[in-house]
Amino acid sequence: MATKKEEMLREGYFGDYGGRFVPPPLEKPLQELTDAFIRLKDDYSFNEELSFHLKNFVGRPNPLYFAERLTDYAGGAKIFLKREDLNHTGSHKINNAMGQALLARDLGKKRLIAETGAGQHGVATATVASFFDLDCTIFMGAEDVIRQEMNVFRMELLGAEVVSVESGTRTLKDAVDRALETYAKDFENSFYLLGSAVGPHPYPTMVRHFQSIIGKEAREQIIETTGKLPDYLVACVGGGSNAIGLFHPFLEDEGVSIIGVEPAGEGLDTARHAASISRGAPGIIHGFKCYTLQDEKGEPLPVHSIAPGLDYPGVGPEHSYLRDCGRINYESITDREALETFQLLSREEGIIPALESAHAIAYALKLAKELSPEKTIIVNLSGRGDKDVAQVARYHREEL
Ligand SMILES: *Cc1c(COP(=O)(O)O)cnc(C)c1O
């Protein structure tokens, strides 16, 4: 099985994926960041402080919850939910934001820069900026500023400056370009805080490192509860950070089957999905190589998912590699299935999941039905659904 060892052969690569394809002005700051990350990730006092904040500010460890009513509903394998939805700010994104912000502070940076599409990563970044008393500039496409009004207000409340980007398609892609441009000009003073396991080296490795707390906790918790490792792990895959965070500590356990769930949108055979692995091909996007949905000219295709955190036309390089190795299987779930599961989990368990997480739960339900009750499945409940309630209500009105 090809996993951690081979990835180390070429720094910043997972097999042929990953790397760092950036304009020359970004080479130096990204190398500086790589060196700092490698130096600090095993530093005793850095890790002590990070653990302290994860416990006292974020609320870790969060429970591994046995979803008894959901399990009864499926009538098969036992379903456990890793409760990232209970973290401060409502999702797994804060784990990584906290780690990177601590790194920024130790490097003497005074400002955090980030881009955000739906606003969830922007809120997590604005939160840790406030926590460490750093300035914060969030770039957001002008279209997204209108669509995500509430999150814009949240970021501003937290003290961040939200820059509305009016160029191009006025969405995430243009916000990324502006944020990188700003970073290239001001890297002496600023830190670029990336929100998923994507982008040029060292981000995929660094984000996975900070998110692996999910899998480390889950591993201890399931052994404590059931006395053994789980049979299956399931998580949704946008850029792939909550998934790789849960999966990574189990990669060498051959008895554990691992499934990443991509957004099939209105169907894999339509143009309206964001299933980069299931329907994409290897290519370069935003400074790294991965499975991506592109046109013949190598431009990212427009993508769609009902879950705002999943509509990205690429995926982490480590996922791309693990797919080729056959270590992880990638499946997909449609908008409709995710919506049904959003309601189902709310009714059965009293937990309103994020629409992103509902993709993982929907797949886990299908899987559980096929398995016997001795089997166990851990599903990453990556976030809470409060942010999605208004949108879901709108969908239901349209259907009526
Ligand atoms: C952003 C987000 C995701 C998708 O991002 P990954 O990097 O793939 O984890 C999934 N769930 C929630 C709740 C999110 O906010």
Side-chain angles (χ1 to χ4, degrees):
M1 186 177 46
T3 52
K4 292 176 196 165
K5 283 171 212 101
E6 281 181 30
E7 142 205 340
M8 289 302 164
L9 290 179
R10 258 196 319 162
E11 190 190 298
Y13 279 86
F14 304 88
D16 193 33
Y17 301 100
R20 185 191 287 157
F21 301 88
V22 295
L26 285 172
E27 275 292 343
K28 181 172 168 242
L30 290 178
Q31 191 52 46
E32 245 180 50
L33 175 61
T34 306
D35 296 342
F37 168 65
I38 288 171
R39 180 164 52 79
L40 285 169
K41 77 182 175 55
D42 300 315
D43 181 83
Y44 180 79
S45 59
F46 179 86
N47 286 314
E48 281 290 289
E49 187 174 356
L50 181 57
S51 300
F52 182 87
H53 299 321
L54 288 176
K55 175 167 187 269
N56 294 295
F57 187 68
V58 174
R60 305 203 71 93
N62 55 45
L64 181 71
Y65 170 72
F66 174 44
E68 202 171 346
R69 286 163 295 266
L70 193 68
T71 297
D72 285 347
Y73 176 89
K78 293 189 184 65
I79 302 173
F80 290 84
L81 303 175
K82 183 59 178 154
R83 299 292 305 274
E84 294 300 307
D85 62 312
L86 294 178
N87 295 341
H88 179 44
T89 70
S91 82
H92 69 290
K93 289 211 170 66
I94 192 86
N95 305 325
N96 168 60
M98 183 55 90
Q100 287 194 44
L102 189 58
L103 207 55
R105 194 211 55 194
D106 281 5
L107 293 176
K109 307 292 183 187
K110 298 282 180 270
R111 171 164 79 150
L112 300 181
I113 294 175
E115 83 288 330
T116 195
Q120 292 303 105
H121 173 57
V123 169
T125 303
T127 300
V128 294
S130 163
F131 184 86
F132 287 111
D133 201 16
L134 300 166
D135 292 337
C136 184
T137 310
I138 305 289
F139 292 88
M140 205 166 171
E143 286 299 323
D144 293 328
V145 168
I146 297 166
R147 281 196 290 241
Q148 304 291 338
E149 192 188 7
M150 191 58 83
N151 274 338
V152 173
F153 186 56
R154 275 200 190 107
M155 289 181 258
E156 288 172 348
L157 261 181
L158 292 160
E161 178 197 9
V162 179
V163 177
S164 173
V165 178
E166 303 282 352
S167 50
T169 56
R170 299 157 42 106
T171 57
L172 181 64
K173 181 187 172 302
D174 312 287
V176 174
D177 291 342
R178 267 295 292 289
L180 282 173
E181 230 170 75
T182 309
Y183 177 56
K185 281 189 208 131
D186 191 43
F187 64 81
E188 299 291 349
N189 183 53
S190 296
F191 186 101
Y192 193 116
L193 207 162
L194 216 155
S196 189
V198 297
H201 182 57
Y203 287 103
T205 305
M206 183 162 70
V207 174
R208 181 251 283 160
H209 175 78
F210 290 129
Q211 291 294 4
S212 291
I213 184 79
I214 304 172
K216 284 184 197 147
E217 284 179 9
R219 197 180 157 80
E220 281 184 20
Q221 290 166 321
I222 193 82
I223 290 174
E224 203 177 287
T225 314
T226 68
K228 57 187 176 77
L229 289 171
D231 297 294
Y232 292 87
L233 302 175
V234 180
C236 66
V237 177
S241 71
N242 87 88
I244 203 70
L246 174 65
F247 298 166
H248 197 261
F250 295 91
L251 285 181
E252 314 252 295
D253 301 308
E254 296 191 30
V256 180
S257 303
I258 307 182
I259 299 135
V261 183
E262 295 198 295
E266 293 175 8
L268 289 186
D269 296 326
T270 71
R272 296 198 23 100
H273 64 76
S276 310
I277 292 185
S278 307
R279 281 292 189 271
I284 292 171
I285 177 175
H286 297 148
F288 70 107
K289 189 171 175 190
C290 66
Y291 275 93
T292 162
L293 297 161
Q294 294 179 322
D295 63 18
E296 304 84 58
K297 288 186 220 125
E299 286 297 314
L301 288 169
V303 286
H304 162 81
S305 167
I306 191 171
L310 299 183
D311 65 352
Y312 181 63
V315 66
E318 192 164 10
H319 286 287
S320 304
Y321 172 63
L322 290 166
R323 174 250 161 98
D324 285 2
C325 296
R327 177 63 186 101
I328 301 184
N329 290 321
Y330 293 85
E331 304 286 346
S332 65
I333 284 291
T334 63
D335 287 353
R336 178 166 292 280
E337 292 171 309
L339 261 178
E340 282 167 13
T341 307
F342 181 88
Q343 283 187 310
L344 182 78
L345 192 73
S346 304
R347 289 210 187 132
E348 292 292 325
E349 290 288 352
I351 299 170
I352 303 176
L355 280 170
E356 291 83 0
S357 322
H359 285 72
I361 297 158
Y363 184 79
L365 275 169
K366 290 191 196 177
L367 178 65
K369 285 181 187 158
E370 305 291 312
L371 300 170
S372 63
E374 312 84 72
K375 299 286 182 191
T376 57
I377 305 174
I378 296 180
V379 190
N380 205 6
L381 182 49
S382 55
R384 68 176 83 123
D386 307 35
K387 68 183 179 61
D388 299 316
V389 169
Q391 190 195 347
V392 170
R394 217 159 36 237
Y395 271 92
H396 286 304
R397 273 200 299 275
E398 282 165 18
E399 299 234 318
L400 295 173

mmCIF file of all heavy atoms in Angstrom, residues 145-172:
data_model
loop_
_atom_site.group_PDB
_atom_site.id
_atom_site.type_symbol
_atom_site.label_atom_id
_atom_site.label_comp_id
_atom_site.label_asym_id
_atom_site.label_seq_id
_atom_site.Cartn_x
_atom_site.Cartn_y
_atom_site.Cartn_z
ATOM 1 N N VAL A 145 -20.542 38.253 -2.152
ATOM 2 C CA VAL A 145 -20.839 39.243 -1.103
ATOM 3 C C VAL A 145 -22.360 39.447 -1.013
ATOM 4 O O VAL A 145 -22.920 39.541 0.080
ATOM 5 C CB VAL A 145 -20.119 40.586 -1.380
ATOM 6 C CG1 VAL A 145 -20.653 41.701 -0.485
ATOM 7 C CG2 VAL A 145 -18.616 40.421 -1.174
ATOM 8 N N ILE A 146 -23.010 39.461 -2.169
ATOM 9 C CA ILE A 146 -24.467 39.633 -2.180
ATOM 10 C C ILE A 146 -25.153 38.375 -1.656
ATOM 11 O O ILE A 146 -26.035 38.431 -0.795
ATOM 12 C CB ILE A 146 -24.975 39.948 -3.615
ATOM 13 C CG1 ILE A 146 -24.370 41.273 -4.090
ATOM 14 C CG2 ILE A 146 -26.496 39.976 -3.669
ATOM 15 C CD1 ILE A 146 -24.515 41.522 -5.576
ATOM 16 N N ARG A 147 -24.702 37.195 -2.169
ATOM 17 C CA ARG A 147 -25.344 35.933 -1.786
ATOM 18 C C ARG A 147 -25.160 35.599 -0.307
ATOM 19 O O ARG A 147 -25.981 34.931 0.297
ATOM 20 C CB ARG A 147 -24.760 34.777 -2.616
ATOM 21 C CG ARG A 147 -25.332 34.676 -4.022
ATOM 22 C CD ARG A 147 -24.997 33.316 -4.610
ATOM 23 N NE ARG A 147 -23.576 33.200 -4.906
ATOM 24 C CZ ARG A 147 -23.091 32.985 -6.124
ATOM 25 N NH1 ARG A 147 -23.904 32.846 -7.144
ATOM 26 N NH2 ARG A 147 -21.801 32.884 -6.337
ATOM 27 N N GLN A 148 -24.012 35.997 0.259
ATOM 28 C CA GLN A 148 -23.663 35.556 1.618
ATOM 29 C C GLN A 148 -23.626 36.740 2.585
ATOM 30 O O GLN A 148 -22.697 36.881 3.375
ATOM 31 C CB GLN A 148 -22.295 34.853 1.605
ATOM 32 C CG GLN A 148 -22.209 33.695 0.649
ATOM 33 C CD GLN A 148 -23.060 32.521 1.088
ATOM 34 O OE1 GLN A 148 -23.385 32.392 2.258
ATOM 35 N NE2 GLN A 148 -23.433 31.667 0.145
ATOM 36 N N GLU A 149 -24.640 37.565 2.486
ATOM 37 C CA GLU A 149 -24.704 38.796 3.255
ATOM 38 C C GLU A 149 -24.452 38.578 4.756
ATOM 39 O O GLU A 149 -23.724 39.331 5.401
ATOM 40 C CB GLU A 149 -26.097 39.395 3.045
ATOM 41 C CG GLU A 149 -26.261 40.801 3.530
ATOM 42 C CD GLU A 149 -27.731 41.219 3.461
ATOM 43 O OE1 GLU A 149 -28.599 40.364 3.156
ATOM 44 O OE2 GLU A 149 -27.996 42.387 3.734
ATOM 45 N N MET A 150 -25.049 37.527 5.305
ATOM 46 C CA MET A 150 -24.940 37.282 6.741
ATOM 47 C C MET A 150 -23.492 37.004 7.154
ATOM 48 O O MET A 150 -23.026 37.517 8.185
ATOM 49 C CB MET A 150 -25.844 36.102 7.122
ATOM 50 C CG MET A 150 -26.016 35.912 8.606
ATOM 51 S SD MET A 150 -26.691 37.364 9.410
ATOM 52 C CE MET A 150 -28.437 37.126 9.090
ATOM 53 N N ASN A 151 -22.791 36.207 6.353
ATOM 54 C CA ASN A 151 -21.394 35.913 6.684
ATOM 55 C C ASN A 151 -20.499 37.148 6.530
ATOM 56 O O ASN A 151 -19.526 37.303 7.264
ATOM 57 C CB ASN A 151 -20.859 34.749 5.847
ATOM 58 C CG ASN A 151 -21.181 33.409 6.497
ATOM 59 O OD1 ASN A 151 -21.419 33.343 7.706
ATOM 60 N ND2 ASN A 151 -21.202 32.355 5.706
ATOM 61 N N VAL A 152 -20.830 38.019 5.586
ATOM 62 C CA VAL A 152 -20.074 39.271 5.439
ATOM 63 C C VAL A 152 -20.223 40.096 6.712
ATOM 64 O O VAL A 152 -19.246 40.595 7.277
ATOM 65 C CB VAL A 152 -20.569 40.087 4.217
ATOM 66 C CG1 VAL A 152 -19.906 41.452 4.165
ATOM 67 C CG2 VAL A 152 -20.308 39.323 2.928
ATOM 68 N N PHE A 153 -21.439 40.172 7.200
ATOM 69 C CA PHE A 153 -21.695 40.922 8.422
ATOM 70 C C PHE A 153 -20.966 40.294 9.610
ATOM 71 O O PHE A 153 -20.389 40.987 10.444
ATOM 72 C CB PHE A 153 -23.209 41.000 8.669
ATOM 73 C CG PHE A 153 -23.569 41.882 9.829
ATOM 74 C CD1 PHE A 153 -23.146 43.209 9.876
ATOM 75 C CD2 PHE A 153 -24.318 41.389 10.893
ATOM 76 C CE1 PHE A 153 -23.459 44.022 10.954
ATOM 77 C CE2 PHE A 153 -24.636 42.195 11.969
ATOM 78 C CZ PHE A 153 -24.202 43.515 12.006
ATOM 79 N N ARG A 154 -20.957 38.969 9.658
ATOM 80 C CA ARG A 154 -20.221 38.273 10.727
ATOM 81 C C ARG A 154 -18.747 38.646 10.719
ATOM 82 O O ARG A 154 -18.170 38.968 11.752
ATOM 83 C CB ARG A 154 -20.305 36.749 10.540
ATOM 84 C CG ARG A 154 -21.525 36.139 11.109
ATOM 85 C CD ARG A 154 -21.351 34.638 11.336
ATOM 86 N NE ARG A 154 -22.664 34.110 11.665
ATOM 87 C CZ ARG A 154 -23.409 33.372 10.860
ATOM 88 N NH1 ARG A 154 -22.943 32.972 9.704
ATOM 89 N NH2 ARG A 154 -24.610 33.008 11.224
ATOM 90 N N MET A 155 -18.143 38.569 9.545
ATOM 91 C CA MET A 155 -16.703 38.877 9.437
ATOM 92 C C MET A 155 -16.433 40.307 9.879
ATOM 93 O O MET A 155 -15.457 40.576 10.587
ATOM 94 C CB MET A 155 -16.230 38.664 7.993
ATOM 95 C CG MET A 155 -16.185 37.206 7.591
ATOM 96 S SD MET A 155 -15.590 36.990 5.903
ATOM 97 C CE MET A 155 -17.090 36.709 5.008
ATOM 98 N N GLU A 156 -17.309 41.220 9.484
ATOM 99 C CA GLU A 156 -17.120 42.626 9.866
ATOM 100 C C GLU A 156 -17.284 42.813 11.372
ATOM 101 O O GLU A 156 -16.528 43.552 11.996
ATOM 102 C CB GLU A 156 -18.062 43.521 9.049
ATOM 103 C CG GLU A 156 -17.587 43.613 7.602
ATOM 104 C CD GLU A 156 -18.557 44.325 6.662
ATOM 105 O OE1 GLU A 156 -19.725 44.572 7.064
ATOM 106 O OE2 GLU A 156 -18.152 44.613 5.521
ATOM 107 N N LEU A 157 -18.252 42.118 11.939
ATOM 108 C CA LEU A 157 -18.430 42.164 13.399
ATOM 109 C C LEU A 157 -17.167 41.724 14.122
ATOM 110 O O LEU A 157 -16.807 42.267 15.163
ATOM 111 C CB LEU A 157 -19.545 41.188 13.807
ATOM 112 C CG LEU A 157 -20.934 41.712 14.057
ATOM 113 C CD1 LEU A 157 -21.841 40.550 14.472
ATOM 114 C CD2 LEU A 157 -20.936 42.776 15.153
ATOM 115 N N LEU A 158 -16.502 40.730 13.550
ATOM 116 C CA LEU A 158 -15.291 40.177 14.157
ATOM 117 C C LEU A 158 -14.076 41.072 13.912
ATOM 118 O O LEU A 158 -12.976 40.755 14.350
ATOM 119 C CB LEU A 158 -15.038 38.771 13.607
ATOM 120 C CG LEU A 158 -16.067 37.708 14.044
ATOM 121 C CD1 LEU A 158 -16.049 36.514 13.102
ATOM 122 C CD2 LEU A 158 -15.819 37.262 15.480
ATOM 123 N N GLY A 159 -14.289 42.146 13.178
ATOM 124 C CA GLY A 159 -13.212 43.122 13.001
ATOM 125 C C GLY A 159 -12.451 42.992 11.696
ATOM 126 O O GLY A 159 -11.439 43.659 11.495
ATOM 127 N N ALA A 160 -12.904 42.136 10.776
ATOM 128 C CA ALA A 160 -12.196 41.956 9.504
ATOM 129 C C ALA A 160 -12.655 42.991 8.474
ATOM 130 O O ALA A 160 -13.784 43.485 8.540
ATOM 131 C CB ALA A 160 -12.439 40.557 8.966
ATOM 132 N N GLU A 161 -11.757 43.276 7.535
ATOM 133 C CA GLU A 161 -12.127 44.081 6.376
ATOM 134 C C GLU A 161 -12.498 43.114 5.258
ATOM 135 O O GLU A 161 -11.716 42.216 4.923
ATOM 136 C CB GLU A 161 -10.922 44.943 5.949
ATOM 137 C CG GLU A 161 -11.191 45.784 4.725
ATOM 138 C CD GLU A 161 -9.911 46.303 4.058
ATOM 139 O OE1 GLU A 161 -8.810 45.876 4.449
ATOM 140 O OE2 GLU A 161 -10.035 47.119 3.126
ATOM 141 N N VAL A 162 -13.685 43.251 4.696
ATOM 142 C CA VAL A 162 -14.101 42.386 3.586
ATOM 143 C C VAL A 162 -13.990 43.184 2.297
ATOM 144 O O VAL A 162 -14.633 44.220 2.135
ATOM 145 C CB VAL A 162 -15.546 41.878 3.782
ATOM 146 C CG1 VAL A 162 -15.970 40.992 2.617
ATOM 147 C CG2 VAL A 162 -15.670 41.113 5.103
ATOM 148 N N VAL A 163 -13.137 42.697 1.376
ATOM 149 C CA VAL A 163 -12.941 43.378 0.098
ATOM 150 C C VAL A 163 -13.782 42.675 -0.961
ATOM 151 O O VAL A 163 -13.616 41.480 -1.214
ATOM 152 C CB VAL A 163 -11.452 43.367 -0.315
ATOM 153 C CG1 VAL A 163 -11.274 44.026 -1.682
ATOM 154 C CG2 VAL A 163 -10.599 44.051 0.740
ATOM 155 N N SER A 164 -14.689 43.420 -1.557
ATOM 156 C CA SER A 164 -15.542 42.873 -2.599
ATOM 157 C C SER A 164 -14.807 42.974 -3.940
ATOM 158 O O SER A 164 -14.447 44.065 -4.375
ATOM 159 C CB SER A 164 -16.842 43.680 -2.615
ATOM 160 O OG SER A 164 -17.637 43.308 -3.704
ATOM 161 N N VAL A 165 -14.586 41.824 -4.583
ATOM 162 C CA VAL A 165 -13.788 41.797 -5.823
ATOM 163 C C VAL A 165 -14.715 41.875 -7.036
ATOM 164 O O VAL A 165 -15.551 40.998 -7.261
ATOM 165 C CB VAL A 165 -12.916 40.514 -5.876
ATOM 166 C CG1 VAL A 165 -12.131 40.447 -7.186
ATOM 167 C CG2 VAL A 165 -11.974 40.467 -4.682
ATOM 168 N N GLU A 166 -14.533 42.960 -7.809
ATOM 169 C CA GLU A 166 -15.468 43.246 -8.901
ATOM 170 C C GLU A 166 -15.012 42.716 -10.254
ATOM 171 O O GLU A 166 -15.733 42.798 -11.232
ATOM 172 C CB GLU A 166 -15.664 44.772 -9.026
ATOM 173 C CG GLU A 166 -16.166 45.456 -7.755
ATOM 174 C CD GLU A 166 -17.662 45.262 -7.541
ATOM 175 O OE1 GLU A 166 -18.328 44.734 -8.450
ATOM 176 O OE2 GLU A 166 -18.145 45.616 -6.444
ATOM 177 N N SER A 167 -13.788 42.150 -10.311
ATOM 178 C CA SER A 167 -13.249 41.734 -11.615
ATOM 179 C C SER A 167 -13.777 40.353 -12.014
ATOM 180 O O SER A 167 -14.302 39.606 -11.195
ATOM 181 C CB SER A 167 -11.720 41.719 -11.550
ATOM 182 O OG SER A 167 -11.282 41.003 -10.417
ATOM 183 N N GLY A 168 -13.596 40.021 -13.308
ATOM 184 C CA GLY A 168 -13.900 38.690 -13.849
ATOM 185 C C GLY A 168 -15.333 38.267 -13.630
ATOM 186 O O GLY A 168 -16.265 39.032 -13.864
ATOM 187 N N THR A 169 -15.513 37.022 -13.131
ATOM 188 C CA THR A 169 -16.861 36.490 -12.903
ATOM 189 C C THR A 169 -17.400 36.928 -11.541
ATOM 190 O O THR A 169 -18.483 36.524 -11.135
ATOM 191 C CB THR A 169 -16.856 34.945 -12.939
ATOM 192 O OG1 THR A 169 -15.896 34.486 -11.970
ATOM 193 C CG2 THR A 169 -16.451 34.429 -14.303
ATOM 194 N N ARG A 170 -16.588 37.709 -10.808
ATOM 195 C CA ARG A 170 -16.976 38.237 -9.496
ATOM 196 C C ARG A 170 -17.301 37.125 -8.501
ATOM 197 O O ARG A 170 -18.204 37.250 -7.682
ATOM 198 C CB ARG A 170 -18.169 39.189 -9.636
ATOM 199 C CG ARG A 170 -17.867 40.386 -10.514
ATOM 200 C CD ARG A 170 -19.090 41.055 -11.124
ATOM 201 N NE ARG A 170 -20.220 41.194 -10.238
ATOM 202 C CZ ARG A 170 -20.634 42.328 -9.676
ATOM 203 N NH1 ARG A 170 -19.995 43.448 -9.913
ATOM 204 N NH2 ARG A 170 -21.686 42.362 -8.900
ATOM 205 N N THR A 171 -16.554 35.983 -8.604
ATOM 206 C CA THR A 171 -16.758 34.879 -7.650
ATOM 207 C C THR A 171 -15.416 34.451 -7.059
ATOM 208 O O THR A 171 -14.427 35.171 -7.148
ATOM 209 C CB THR A 171 -17.461 33.673 -8.316
ATOM 210 O OG1 THR A 171 -16.676 33.268 -9.430
ATOM 211 C CG2 THR A 171 -18.870 34.011 -8.761
ATOM 212 N N LEU A 172 -15.400 33.237 -6.492
ATOM 213 C CA LEU A 172 -14.243 32.764 -5.729
ATOM 214 C C LEU A 172 -12.921 32.846 -6.488
ATOM 215 O O LEU A 172 -11.904 33.278 -5.942
ATOM 216 C CB LEU A 172 -14.487 31.315 -5.271
ATOM 217 C CG LEU A 172 -13.358 30.695 -4.436
ATOM 218 C CD1 LEU A 172 -13.192 31.436 -3.122
ATOM 219 C CD2 LEU A 172 -13.629 29.220 -4.173
#
